[in-house]
């Protein structure tokens, strides 16, 4: 098995304990022995320098164990996931004798932000010593440690050991210190824009891409989306003209996540879908800005370049080593995001094929966000309800079921719409009604005018009825153009 194979194995969902067979007993014993040896090695390296003889015996013992395992298994992957250690994909069942060692190794790897160590070929004494000393000398809490250690191993010519950063789960990290999910959402939204900007700039300059950071952001978004979808959906009303490309990528990720959630995707698949949304247009980073922002029609050559961006995106995704965990679904999603359901659009397909769910979801999200955002060639964007109406008319473009799901999320009066109520008040839609029967009854923030002054609030649920008359207290009459009424929609979501 090669290093990637080992990585794949280690990344698979670990199975929970069944009665141990002879092989499993052997593996479990090995895992416990390994942790004990690693614990001693780490400890000794903190006390003695590399030349001290006291070290040799410990190194020898560990080497025998590791190399023996490599001979039979081909590779060895030790991975930290939350509070567990997994050896070649199997969770370490900690025995009494290895408990202290397990605690120590887990704590050290977490501190050093190293989440995975893969050994893919037999080691010698020097290699193991150098590795342990460099690992233990890393400063605590530095997110860049795995990359630094990786570079150091490369410099030392040690090819048989690979390391990856610790995966921090957003649930643990992102909501810590944020009791208010709305605040957490805002932070996450703006930080993700920064991260995707960093990824694109990094790709352009052929620099190291921190794809893990991006994944953590998406995991945070998935958790928030599961808790309360209206927070992130509300933030998509920020249509930042200057940062269009990055803002657009984040919005597409959010819309896609909301759709994936309604379709019942698992958190793992949602994370992949969110990443696809973030990366769907990376191919555009290779197109000159003048073409992207050209206010006039594109000429034939410019169009040809523009049409290449899904394929360029695929090539770029495959090149980013740190995106090793990327699934084919994600790459195909990027490839397909401009292909219509009747297979028109671009890139042109040589053979007929069914489009993937990822591709079709991203297409809906992408198109809606592009239509509702001001651009150099269309300063006045479509209002949300206008964009949805156009998309519904375009019969061959979108998967009809997915479009229905999307309209269910966005509502016929989408989040961020300005509406006129039968009470003569205006309202900004901030949460759609999940009940399809009451799709026209979202929650709104009231905007009323009295004595020449505008009052904002309170928030009301249009599904509320009057106890006595048994009639709805307020209903929407029609959608309004926010520009005409000088209403800044975004301020209601910040
Ligand atoms: Fe695109
Ligand atoms: Fe796009």
């Amino acid at each position: 098995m090669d290093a990637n194979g080992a990585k794949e194995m280690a990344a698979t969902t670990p199975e929970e304990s069944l009665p141990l067979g002879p092989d499993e007993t052997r593996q479990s014993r090995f895992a416990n022995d390994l942790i004990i040896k690693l614990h001693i090695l780490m400890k000794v390296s903190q006390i003695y320098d590399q030349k001290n003889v006291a070290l040799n015996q410990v190194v020898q013992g560990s080497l025998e164990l590791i190399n023996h395992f490599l001979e039979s298994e081909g590779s060895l992957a030790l991975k930290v996931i939350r509070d567990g250690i997994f050896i070649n994909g199997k969770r370490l069942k900690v025995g009494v004798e290895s408990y202290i060692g397990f605690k120590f190794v887990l704590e050290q790897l977490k501190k050093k932000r190293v989440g995975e160590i893969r050994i893919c070929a037999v080691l010698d004494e020097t290699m193991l010593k150098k590795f342990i000393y460099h690992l233990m000398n890393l400063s605590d809490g530095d997110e860049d440690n795995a990359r630094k250690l990786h570079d150091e191993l490369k410099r030392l010519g040690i090819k048989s050991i690979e390391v990856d950063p610790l995966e921090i789960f957003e649930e643990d990290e992102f909501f810590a210190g944020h009791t208010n999910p709305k605040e957490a959402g805002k932070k996450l939204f703006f930080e993700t824009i920064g991260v995707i900007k960093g990824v694109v700039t990094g790709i352009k300059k052929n620099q190291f891409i921190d794809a893990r950071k991006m994944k953590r952001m998406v995991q945070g978004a998935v958790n928030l989306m599961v808790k309360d979808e209206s927070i992130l959906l509300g933030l998509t009303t920020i249509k930042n003209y200057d940062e269009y490309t990055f803002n657009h990528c984040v919005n597409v990720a959010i819309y896609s996540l909301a759709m994936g959630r309604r379709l019942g995707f698992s958190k793992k698949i949602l994370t992949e879908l969110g990443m696809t949304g973030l990366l769907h247009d990376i191919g555009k980073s290779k197109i000159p800005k003048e073409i992207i922002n050209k206010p006039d029609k594109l000429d034939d050559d410019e169009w040809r370049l523009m049409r290449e961006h899904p394929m360029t995106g695929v090539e770029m995704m495959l090149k980013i080593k740190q995106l090793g965990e990327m699934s084919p679904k994600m790459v195909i999603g990027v490839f397909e995001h401009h292909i219509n359901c009747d297979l028109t659009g671009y890139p042109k397909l040589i053979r007929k094929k069914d489009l993937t769910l990822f591709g079709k979801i991203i297409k809906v999200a992408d198109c809606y966000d592009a239509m509702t955002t001001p651009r150099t060639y269309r300063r006045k964007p479509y209002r949300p309800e206008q964009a949805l109406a156009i998309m519904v008319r375009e019969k061959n473009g979108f998967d009809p079921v997915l479009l229905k799901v999307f309209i269910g999320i966005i509502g016929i009066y989408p989040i961020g719409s300005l509406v006129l109520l039968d009470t003569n008040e205006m309202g900004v839609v901030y949460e759609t009604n999940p009940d399809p029967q009451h799709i026209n009854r979202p929650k709104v923030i009231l905007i009323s005018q009295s004595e020449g002054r505008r009052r904002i609030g309170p928030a009301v649920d249009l599904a509320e009825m009057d106890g006595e008359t048994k009639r709805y207290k307020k209903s929407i009459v029609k959608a309004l153009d926010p520009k005409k009424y000088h209403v800044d929609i975004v301020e209601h979501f910040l």
Side-chain angles (χ1 to χ4, degrees):
M1 190 194 299
D2 62 6
N4 279 336
K7 194 174 170 187
E8 226 166 66
M9 217 175 136
T12 51
T13 318
E15 290 149 29
E16 278 317 317
S17 37
L18 293 166
L20 299 181
D23 272 0
E24 279 133 329
T25 317
R26 197 168 46 85
Q27 224 202 10
S28 169
R29 199 173 306 130
F30 163 78
N32 275 283
D33 284 351
L34 179 72
I35 293 301
I36 295 170
K37 293 261 181 333
L38 204 53
H39 172 211
I40 302 172
L41 255 184
M42 284 173 157
K43 275 274 195 199
V44 171
S45 73
Q46 287 177 320
I47 306 166
Y48 303 117
D49 71 37
Q50 283 192 58
K51 294 196 182 86
N52 196 297
V53 281
L55 191 68
N56 292 346
Q57 208 184 344
V58 189
V59 170
Q60 268 310 327
S62 311
L63 267 182
E64 270 171 35
L65 187 74
I66 295 170
N67 288 340
H68 183 69
F69 183 83
L70 286 174
E71 274 164 27
S72 65
E73 301 292 321
S75 64
L76 166 62
L78 184 154
K79 184 166 182 165
V80 173
I81 303 178
R82 289 203 161 99
D83 286 322
I85 292 181
F86 295 81
I87 309 283
N88 278 13
K90 285 231 158 33
R91 189 182 197 120
L92 173 75
K93 294 185 186 77
V94 190
V96 182
E97 72 289 356
S98 62
Y99 183 74
I100 296 174
F102 163 76
K103 280 275 173 208
F104 184 83
V105 173
L106 183 69
E107 192 183 307
Q108 288 302 315
L109 291 176
K110 280 186 166 184
K111 266 195 204 163
K112 305 295 178 196
R113 296 285 197 266
V114 171
E116 188 169 1
I117 301 166
R118 294 188 302 279
I119 305 174
C120 46
V122 171
L123 299 180
D124 65 24
E125 223 170 280
T126 325
M127 288 175 186
L128 185 59
K129 263 193 207 172
K130 287 201 162 138
F131 172 71
I132 290 292
Y133 274 84
H134 278 97
L135 172 71
M136 295 308 282
N137 277 334
L138 294 169
S139 42
D140 290 350
D142 185 345
E143 299 268 346
D144 216 16
N145 272 343
R147 188 186 61 82
K148 286 180 186 164
L149 186 55
H150 170 265
D151 291 351
E152 195 54 36
L153 291 173
K154 218 167 145 190
R155 194 185 64 78
L156 294 166
I158 302 175
K159 290 183 191 145
S160 35
I161 308 179
E162 287 180 21
V163 287
D164 268 333
L166 180 72
E167 242 177 87
I168 296 169
F169 289 84
E170 280 307 319
E171 186 107 51
D172 320 332
E173 193 196 42
F174 221 90
F175 294 100
H178 285 285
T179 41
N180 177 352
K182 200 172 165 188
E183 284 305 312
K186 258 197 281 179
K187 183 169 184 275
L188 181 64
F189 183 83
F190 291 111
E191 278 190 24
T192 311
I193 293 181
V195 167
I196 185 74
K197 196 172 173 180
V199 168
V200 171
T201 319
I203 291 175
K204 274 188 187 165
K205 293 183 182 165
N206 282 330
Q207 285 170 342
F208 174 81
I209 309 298
D210 194 356
R212 298 216 163 215
K213 203 167 179 187
M214 184 163 65
K215 190 173 173 189
R216 290 216 313 270
M217 294 284 150
V218 177
Q219 282 169 340
V222 168
N223 288 325
L224 189 54
M225 191 57 90
V226 171
K227 274 194 178 91
D228 181 351
E229 68 173 20
S230 68
I231 294 174
L232 288 175
L233 283 172
L235 291 167
T236 60
T237 54
I238 304 169
K239 306 286 185 185
N240 189 332
Y241 183 74
D242 300 325
E243 297 277 18
Y244 168 73
T245 315
F246 311 116
N247 200 159
H248 168 68
C249 295
V250 176
N251 288 353
V252 170
I254 293 173
Y255 292 133
S256 307
L257 284 181
M259 290 168 82
R261 185 183 157 245
R262 299 256 172 136
L263 294 170
F265 288 3
S266 68
K267 281 193 177 180
K268 184 176 175 276
I269 304 287
L270 282 176
T271 305
E272 290 181 347
L273 180 63
M275 297 267 282
T276 316
L278 279 186
L279 293 168
H280 81 280
D281 268 343
I282 48 164
K284 278 195 183 168
S285 60
K286 299 270 177 186
I287 304 175
K289 258 197 171 150
E290 305 76 65
I291 300 183
I292 301 274
N293 294 325
K294 190 175 173 184
D296 312 311
K297 266 197 160 184
L298 300 182
D299 67 29
D300 286 352
D301 282 344
E302 289 164 340
W303 246 120
R304 191 183 43 75
L305 259 182
M306 194 62 132
R307 282 165 183 267
E308 277 171 10
H309 84 266
M311 197 54 214
T312 317
V314 167
E315 283 163 8
M316 288 164 82
M317 278 170 96
L318 294 176
K319 263 189 214 153
I320 306 174
K321 184 175 170 281
Q322 289 74 21
L323 292 178
E325 297 165 25
M326 196 172 279
S327 69
K329 277 200 269 326
M330 296 166 68
V331 182
I332 299 171
V334 169
F335 177 79
E336 291 177 345
H337 82 274
H338 284 286
I339 304 181
N340 296 318
C341 269
D342 61 0
L343 302 186
T344 56
Y346 61 91
K348 284 272 163 284
L349 297 176
I350 303 166
R351 215 174 289 140
K352 259 197 170 182
K353 76 175 223 73
D354 289 330
L355 299 178
T356 62
L357 204 45
F358 268 33
K360 290 191 278 194
I361 291 175
I362 302 287
K363 183 174 168 61
V364 171
D366 177 45
C367 202
Y368 176 77
D369 188 64
M371 287 172 87
T372 50
T373 307
R375 304 297 314 277
T376 35
Y377 47 83
R378 195 186 52 235
R379 294 264 174 190
K380 198 166 174 278
Y382 293 107
R383 290 204 307 270
E385 71 281 4
Q386 291 173 324
L388 286 182
I390 294 172
M391 286 167 77
V392 171
R393 278 203 297 274
E394 201 149 301
K395 287 214 162 47
N396 302 326
F398 307 95
D399 181 298
V401 177
L402 289 179
L403 199 53
K404 259 191 192 153
V405 172
F406 189 64
I407 294 171
I409 294 162
I410 301 289
I412 42 173
Y413 299 108
I415 290 180
S417 320
L418 181 69
V419 289
L420 175 68
L421 305 179
D422 56 0
T423 49
N424 240 348
E425 296 157 301
M426 289 192 290
V428 175
V429 177
Y430 79 92
E431 199 177 316
T432 51
N433 194 324
D435 177 1
Q437 297 286 328
H438 293 109
I439 200 162
N440 58 341
R441 302 208 161 270
K443 289 181 183 161
V444 299
I445 298 165
L446 290 184
I447 302 174
S448 49
Q449 199 99 15
S450 64
E451 292 158 16
R453 287 187 61 189
R454 186 171 272 183
R455 275 188 45 223
I456 308 290
V460 293
D461 185 347
L462 297 183
E464 256 178 45
M465 289 182 130
D466 188 313
E468 279 178 22
T469 59
K470 301 281 178 233
R471 287 199 174 151
Y472 289 110
K473 286 184 178 170
K474 296 171 198 284
S475 301
I476 295 175
V477 179
K478 62 174 180 176
L480 299 171
D481 182 356
K483 283 220 169 63
K484 218 164 150 186
Y485 293 88
H486 306 290
V487 177
D488 181 6
I489 295 293
V490 174
E491 69 176 354
H492 298 284
F493 294 99
L494 289 178

